[in-house]
Amino acid sequence: ELKVEQNPLFLSMQEGKNYTIYCNYSTTSDRLYWYRQDPGKSLESLFVLLSNGAVKQEGRLMASLDTKARLSTLHITAAVHDLSATYFCAVDLFNTGTASKLTFGTGTRLQVTL
Amino acid sequence: DAGITQSPRYKITETGRQVTLMCHQTWSHSYMFWYRQDLGHGLRLIYYSAAADITDKGEVPDGYVVSRSKTENFPLTLESATRSQTSVYFCASSARQARKNIQYFGAGTRLSVL
């Protein structure tokens, strides 16, 4: 059974600081997703990481994937209040190039304070 | 409007009642999914569908029934609601395409079973 663990579960950080969210998973997979969820809202796709060593960046967020270590990281650079949200990683079980059958981590709730 | 819509957005029901949550997408995506979101569990897959008339169980299917007679609709039915089914339910869809297979989520239905 695939297990996906995120840490920390809750992160309070000051504006301007850097931090990293970690996502570990238990079964081989070369496809990993990061989603963002604002309170009471739906999930929004941030990144898709498709191979070992993949790195994607959008604004102050950068995601990477190490399939050998079964680890993905979401790095936040110089946090701003607008980044406050819950971030989920999700791992694809299928690996077949068809539909993704996702197993989600429990989420990391990020709170950026002044 | 184009996209993926869920209805109702909020529902209160009583134990033992049958409840149907609706999901409609206008992208003609092949794949559709139902998740439930509970604190401490992230999102868990209930059922998914690869095409009209093709459905399969996810991680937590007990107590739920799905159907997919048309590509664009994927209703989820709780045949006899229980308090443990109080949750936020998300529908998602994805196209049948190589590699990325991003899932796009609806706004969610908040269900309370009293």
Side-chain angles (χ1 to χ4, degrees):
Chain A
E1 181 190 346
L2 173 61
K3 294 207 181 291
V4 181
E5 294 182 346
Q6 282 182 242
N7 67 82
L9 297 183
F10 179 74
L11 176 56
S12 180
M13 57 190 297
Q14 287 183 317
E15 276 200 336
K17 299 290 188 183
N18 304 333
Y19 210 84
T20 301
I21 298 170
Y22 297 89
C23 174
N24 290 90
Y25 54 98
S26 61
T27 303
T28 300
S29 174
D30 62 359
R31 193 152 54 181
L32 188 139
Y33 301 78
W34 283 96
Y35 282 87
R36 168 183 171 144
Q37 185 181 36
D38 292 307
K41 303 291 186 182
S42 185
L43 281 81
E44 173 191 356
S45 175
L46 292 174
F47 300 109
V48 182
L49 302 168
L50 298 177
S51 60
N52 186 42
V55 177
K56 293 283 183 74
Q57 182 160 7
E58 178 77 31
R60 301 173 188 273
L61 300 178
M62 184 174 71
S64 65
L65 178 62
D66 181 344
T67 58
K68 292 176 182 170
R70 297 178 188 168
L71 170 69
S72 180
T73 61
L74 180 66
H75 186 72
I76 302 148
T77 301
V80 293
H81 181 71
D82 284 352
L83 290 179
S84 297
T86 298
Y87 294 86
F88 291 95
C89 64
V91 177
D92 180 9
L93 271 179
F94 275 166
N95 296 317
T96 63
T98 58
S100 301
K101 187 178 174 183
L102 298 181
T103 298
F104 281 80
T106 50
T108 296
R109 186 174 156 216
L110 173 64
Q111 186 176 63
V112 181
T113 58
L114 293 171
Chain B
D1 286 342
I4 182 165
T5 55
Q6 293 183 236
S7 62
R9 291 294 315 280
Y10 304 91
K11 177 74 177 178
I12 299 173
T13 191
E14 295 177 339
T15 302
R17 299 251 182 172
Q18 183 179 80
V19 177
T20 296
L21 309 184
M22 305 301 292
C23 180
H24 175 80
Q25 52 103 357
T26 59
W27 294 308
S28 298
H29 282 171
S30 297
Y31 293 93
M32 296 188 74
F33 308 83
W34 275 106
Y35 295 89
R36 60 177 289 172
Q37 184 176 29
D38 305 288
L39 261 172
H41 288 280
L43 279 81
R44 291 180 291 175
L45 182 64
I46 304 171
Y47 269 96
Y48 63 100
S49 169
D53 298 322
I54 301 175
T55 62
D56 207 349
K57 295 178 181 179
E59 182 185 352
V60 288
D62 293 342
Y64 302 95
V65 174
V66 293
S67 61
R68 196 162 175 212
S69 57
K70 292 183 177 181
T71 300
E72 61 266 30
N73 296 324
F74 191 38
L76 176 74
T77 298
L78 289 66
E79 293 190 299
S80 178
T82 65
R83 289 198 179 122
S84 65
Q85 291 178 311
T86 293
S87 187
V88 180
Y89 291 85
F90 286 98
C91 178
S93 70
S94 71
R96 187 185 186 96
Q97 58 181 309
R99 297 300 283 155
K100 279 195 175 180
N101 297 323
I102 295 172
Q103 291 187 20
Y104 298 92
F105 284 79
T109 295
R110 186 174 293 271
L111 175 67
S112 295
V113 183
L114 305 178

